[in-house]
């Protein structure tokens, strides 16, 4: 049993299978929303699944001049990094599957893995477009990663803990930390767009410029793994923001403590699911309303308008904590 | 500030589209639009009035039409023209010049637009034969109609 | 980072037609650009002298799918000039209307594509949705959404009925209002501005040196419009403004095009008010007398020039077409050089390129020898692969 439980957590719930299923659903919601925004009909609910199955069945090609090992391994590392990080994010009421003081840092680190893997995968694909895309991935990383980290720092300082479960627990009474760190919340959402490489920060994958950039040489199963990475990263990133700022599975007026554990779990999951879909709604809205930025515009804008305000927000939180005397 | 007003206006329009508008998409096989009166769809040839003058063949930019003519002598001594038209419809560009050139109104374009076929051979069409008295085959071919 | 050379095209998602561009880049900056055309050469000019004038009309219409009416208009104008045929007034107004309809649909198409190039998919979807209105009008008037076959030698094919006039007026009013809306979006949407302001800069003087035409030239502040400079049809009777922009960048070209949509709507309204009753065609001889003529029209992409030489038969001896894209290509190469890689698609799109109209084949032989020779098919294939 001691071996089986972690395996179950990794592969079935809340790991791989659950993440993929929810990710596919969220991706359908996303596509449908964008279609509605754009006055179109949009795909049926099973479309993302069908796309995935189609990719799985396609021929798998490794370019002649590519580094075979790096080319093959990077997508798996990226996916593994994302799936591992869900273990530390509380999905239902009391706490995450695993929690320790400092897991916030681990999750942020694990969520950076896909970007590095994408860079390496692109770099070793031996294609000029992939090379340009790969350098853009890294350049963009500097743009969003610093603000994202600073934004996550806000709730941590306010809750006085480096554990995501602890931070979520601090919001159990219904007072969400978004009230303490509103700027950090907005910044985290915008940085998440950069992390997921969506419009307006989809420069590394811009299809009219670099033709999906680092992913250009990937086909079949490996491309499917990349797609899964971004699907699951959408869920994990949204869940992280929900946990840090929006109280995670908690909601004002729902007494989790007095419920049966299984019921608390289910209700918590539903609450969190709705919050994740709300964040996805925001992502879709941004995608529909904006044009793609250039890479240097992106970095400049992010550091100026995301980095500095979050620093100020953290300063304000620290001052407030002093005043309250915590 | 004006710059962000544009984003706000766009977001408003997006929400309007999400909440109030019906999709602009026409779900084609289920929902069908009717093409306008002047639409040039399937070509229709009616040999009853045709004088086999060959103007359509001469004007067709894609060499779709071939007029096959044969002059036969009837038992009473009068001459008669008989023949038919052959169409290579896969080459047709639906410009409608044949219908425009035709003095008799023998060629018309219907509003039928689903013309796909599984094989190229199915586009090779041969009309029923048309018969004309000899004198009728005298048309002014020196002026663009 | 070392200098990297990378190709765009012949197959690339930013290009709608096959053409090969080569860029030398230093990091994200483009240091050199070169273009190789010829992938979609269709030898239309040669084919024109194999077919009679009626057939050529449809061949010329198919030079370009977007500006098909401008091509037939220019061709008819040249041939009618040689034949000395004056077309009826009503036909002239109807031709003018088709010309402006086409300008609206083409510019809206372009705006959508521009949105797509900078990753603004919603703009693309919205503009193309609204463009359906003008497409429906074109289909109602001419029977087709593209390749209208409306302009004929000696007039136009179909008349405008009173019911159509009401529908056209309604559609035009809607389009005018939408065009104003898009002009607002183009000048206020922050991300759109970020991708268009100071992108692909070129001065008006430089444009003139390189021979740019149409919205590219007007977007750099030079007010040259064939409709005003050399009026054809009835353009001297309608009021419109030659739209220019001093911005000299992609935004300037965008604004010129959007404002021209508004102008086109106004011109159509005026035409509907002015249109007299009467015939729409006049008799036109099949055999065109000997002679030569050039015609120029302001197609949506810029000045389009046709040269036709007739030898007295019903087949032209020579048809020469100068499409606006060919004139704009040198300017476009200068626009991308010194810019960012990310701006290549939108900068090239900003000249509204139509490559299959542009492709020409030139073989340089010793002119003085006086020898003539026939090229065989394998020779042509070899030539196509080399150049």
């Amino acid at each position: 049993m001691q071996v089986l439980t972690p395996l179950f957590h990794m592969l079935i719930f809340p790991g791989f299978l659950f993440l993929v299923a929810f990710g596919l659903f969220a991706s359908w919601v996303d596509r449908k929303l964008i279609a509605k925004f754009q006055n179109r009909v949009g795909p049926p609910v099973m479309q993302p699944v069908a796309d995935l199955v189609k990719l799985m069945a396609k021929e798998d090609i490794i370019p002649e001049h590519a580094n075979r090992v790096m080319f093959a391994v990077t997508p798996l590392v990226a996916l593994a990094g994302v799936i591992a990080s869900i273990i530390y994010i509380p999905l239902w009421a009391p706490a995450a599957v695993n929690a320790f003081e400092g897991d916030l840092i681990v999750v942020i680190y694990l969520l950076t893995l896909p970007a590095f893997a994408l860079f390496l995968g692109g770099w070793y694909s031996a294609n000029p477009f992939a090379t340009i895309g790969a350098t853009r991935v890294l350049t963009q990383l500097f743009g969003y990663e610093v603000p994202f980290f600073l934004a996550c720092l806000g709730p941590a300082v306010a809750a006085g803990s480096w554990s995501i479960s602890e931070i979520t627990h601090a919001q159990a009474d219904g007072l969400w930390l978004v009230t303490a760190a509103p700027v950090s919340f907005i910044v985290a959402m915008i940085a998440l767009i950069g992390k997921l490489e969506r419009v307006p920060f989809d420069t590394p994958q811009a299809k009219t410029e670099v033709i999906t950039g680092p992913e250009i040489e990937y086909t079949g199963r490996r491309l499917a793994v990349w797609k899964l990475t971004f699907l699951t990263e959408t869920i994990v990133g949204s869940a992280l923001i929900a946990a840090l700022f929006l109280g995670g599975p908690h909601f004002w007026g729902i007494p989790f403590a007095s419920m049966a554990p299984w019921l608390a779990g289910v209700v918590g999951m539903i609450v969190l699911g709705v919050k994740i879909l709300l964040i996805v709604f925001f992502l879709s809205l941004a995608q529909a309303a904006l044009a793609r930025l250039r890479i240097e515009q992106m970095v400049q804008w992010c550091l100026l308008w995301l980095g500095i305000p979050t620093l100020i927000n953290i300063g304000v939180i620290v001052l407030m904590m002093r005043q309250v005397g915590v | 500030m004006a710059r962000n007003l544009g984003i706000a206006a766009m977001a408003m329009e997006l929400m309007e589209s999400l909440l109030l508008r019906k999709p602009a998409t026409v779900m084609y096989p289920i929902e069908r639009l009717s093409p306008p009166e002047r639409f040039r769809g399937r070509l229709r040839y009616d040999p009853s009035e045709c004088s086999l003058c060959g103007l359509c063949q001469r004007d067709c930019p894609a060499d779709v039409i071939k007029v096959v003519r044969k002059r036969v002598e009837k038992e009473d001594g009068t001459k008669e023209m008989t023949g038919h038209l052959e169409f290579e419809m896969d080459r047709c560009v639906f410009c409608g010049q044949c219908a425009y050139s035709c003095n008799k109104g023998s060629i018309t374009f219907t509003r039928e637009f689903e013309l796909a076929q599984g094989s190229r051979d199915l586009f090779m069409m041969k009309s029923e034969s048309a018969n004309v008295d000899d004198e009728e085959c005298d048309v002014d071919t020196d002026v663009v109609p | 980072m070392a200098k990297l050379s990378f190709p765009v095209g012949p197959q690339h998602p930013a290009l709608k037609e096959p053409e090969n561009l080569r860029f030398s880049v230093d990091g994200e900056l483009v240091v050199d650009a070169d273009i190789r055309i010829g992938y979609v050469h269709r030898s239309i000019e040669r084919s024109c002298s194999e077919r009679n004038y009626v057939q050529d009309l449809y061949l010329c219409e198919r030079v370009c799918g977007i500006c098909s009416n401008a091509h037939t208009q220019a061709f008819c104008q040249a041939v009618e000039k040689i034949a000395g045929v004056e077309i009826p007034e009503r036909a002239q107004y109807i031709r003018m209307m088709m010309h402006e309809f086409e300008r609206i649909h083409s510019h809206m198409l372009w705006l959508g594509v521009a949105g797509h190039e900078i990753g603004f998919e919603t703009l693309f979807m919205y503009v193309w949705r609204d463009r359906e209105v003008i497409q429906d009008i074109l289909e109602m008037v001419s029977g087709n959404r593209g390749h209208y076959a409306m302009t004929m030698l000696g007039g136009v094919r179909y008349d405008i009925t009173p019911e159509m006039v009401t529908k056209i007026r309604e559609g035009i009013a809607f389009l005018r209002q939408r065009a104003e809306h898009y002009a607002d979006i183009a000048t206020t949407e922050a991300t759109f501005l970020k991708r268009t302001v100071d992108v692909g800069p070129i001065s008006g003087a430089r444009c003139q040196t390189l021979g740019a035409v149409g919205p590219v030239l007007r977007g750099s502040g030079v007010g040259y419009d064939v409709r005003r400079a050399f009026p054809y049809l009835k353009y001297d009777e309608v009021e419109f403004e030659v739209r220019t922009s001093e911005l000299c960048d992609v935004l300037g070209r965008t604004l010129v095009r959007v404002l021209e949509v508004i102008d086109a709507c106004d011109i159509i309204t005026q035409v509907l008010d002015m249109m007299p009753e009467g015939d729409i065609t006049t008799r036109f001889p099949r055999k065109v007398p000997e002679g030569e003529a050039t015609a120029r029209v302001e197609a949506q992409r810029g000045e389009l020039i046709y040269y036709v030489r007739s030898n007295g038969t019903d087949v032209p001896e020579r048809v020469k077409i100068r499409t606006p894209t060919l004139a704009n290509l040198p300017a476009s190469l200068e626009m991308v050089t010194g810019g960012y890689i990310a701006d290549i698609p939108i900068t090239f799109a900003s000249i509204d390129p139509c490559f299959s109209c542009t492709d020409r084949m030139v073989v340089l032989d010793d002119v003085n020898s006086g020898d003539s020779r026939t090229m065989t098919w394998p020779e042509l294939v070899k030539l196509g692969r080399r150049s």
Side-chain angles (χ1 to χ4, degrees), chain C residues 36 66 101 128 153 176 179 222 237 246 278 354-355:
Chain C
R36 277 171 52 189
I66 308 296
F101 280 158
W128 280 44
L153 289 164
R176 196 181 190 288
V222 183
E237 287 179 18
E246 297 296 332
C354 173
F355 290 124

Side-chain angles (χ1 to χ4, degrees), chain B residues 2-7 9-10 13-15 17 21 24 35-40 55 57-63 93-97 100-101 140-145, chain C residues 51-52 54-55 58 62 120 122 126 129 139-144 147-149 152 156-159 161 164 178 181 185 188-190 193-194 281 283-287 314:
Chain B
R3 290 184 153 211
N4 296 328
L5 281 180
I7 293 181
M10 201 68 214
E13 201 171 342
L14 293 174
M15 294 311 287
S17 174
R21 273 174 176 271
E37 202 97 313
R38 288 171 178 176
F39 184 79
R40 298 188 287 275
L55 267 177
Q57 179 184 353
R58 186 174 174 170
D59 284 348
C60 178
D63 292 341
V93 296
F94 296 93
C95 62
Q97 178 65 37
Y100 192 70
S101 293
D140 179 11
T141 52
D142 280 339
V143 171
V144 175
Chain C
R51 290 163 169 75
N52 66 36
V54 178
Q55 292 172 320
Y58 299 104
R62 279 155 184 79
F120 200 170
T122 308
Y126 280 4
R129 176 193 70 199
E139 199 181 18
M140 174 184 74
V141 171
S142 73
N144 221 344
H147 299 318
Y148 321 105
M152 313 289 285
V156 290
R157 186 183 286 184
Y158 298 114
D159 204 352
T161 62
M164 285 181 186
R178 290 305 292 179
H181 174 69
I185 293 274
T188 54
E189 227 273 5
L193 287 174
K194 267 197 183 294
T281 45
R283 288 176 80 81
F284 196 86
R286 257 177 199 284
K287 291 195 170 75
D314 62 350

Side-chain angles (χ1 to χ4, degrees), chain A residues 37 136 288-289 292 294 297, chain C residues 28 118 122 126 189 194 343:
Chain A
F37 281 139
R136 283 183 180 186
R292 181 192 310 127
R294 274 203 303 267
Q297 287 172 340
Chain C
E28 284 273 332
I118 58 171
T122 308
Y126 280 4
E189 227 273 5
K194 267 197 183 294
D343 290 332

Side-chain angles (χ1 to χ4, degrees), chain C residues 22-36:
Chain C
R22 276 183 182 282
F23 297 101
S24 304
V25 293
D26 187 1
E28 284 273 332
L29 285 177
V30 179
V31 288
D32 195 21
D34 195 15
I35 187 165
R36 277 171 52 189

Side-chain angles (χ1 to χ4, degrees), chain A residues 289-311:
Chain A
L290 301 170
R292 181 192 310 127
L293 292 181
R294 274 203 303 267
I295 190 76
E296 100 288 355
Q297 287 172 340
M298 186 269 170
V299 173
Q300 207 182 357
W301 190 86
C302 279
L303 291 181
L304 185 64
W305 291 104
L306 302 186
I308 295 171
T310 28
L311 276 180

Side-chain angles (χ1 to χ4, degrees), chain B residues 15 25 42-43 55 67 85 100 115-116 120 127 131 133 144:
Chain B
M15 294 311 287
T25 319
R42 186 186 290 281
L43 188 150
L55 267 177
V67 183
L85 266 63
Y100 192 70
L115 307 177
R120 189 161 183 264
S127 77
N131 302 302
D133 296 334
V144 175

Side-chain angles (χ1 to χ4, degrees), chain C residues 4 21 63 77 90 105 134-135 184 194 213 243 247 260 269 298 312 320 362 365-366:
Chain C
L4 186 70
L21 301 149
V63 169
Q77 213 168 296
R90 189 176 173 82
H105 112 74
I134 190 71
Q135 290 296 81
D184 275 355
K194 267 197 183 294
V213 291
R243 299 286 187 173
L247 295 166
E260 274 180 15
T269 315
E298 183 71 25
K320 167 81 192 125
V362 176
D365 252 356
D366 187 5

Side-chain angles (χ1 to χ4, degrees), chain A residues 13 18 22 90-95 248-251 254-257 259-276:
Chain A
F13 185 84
F18 165 75
F22 193 38
L91 295 176
W92 55 87
H250 298 289
F251 195 77
I254 301 180
F256 285 102
M259 278 185 198
W262 68 270
L263 186 67
V266 170
V267 173
M269 291 285 295
I270 292 170
V271 170
L272 184 68
V274 171
K275 286 173 185 170
I276 289 175

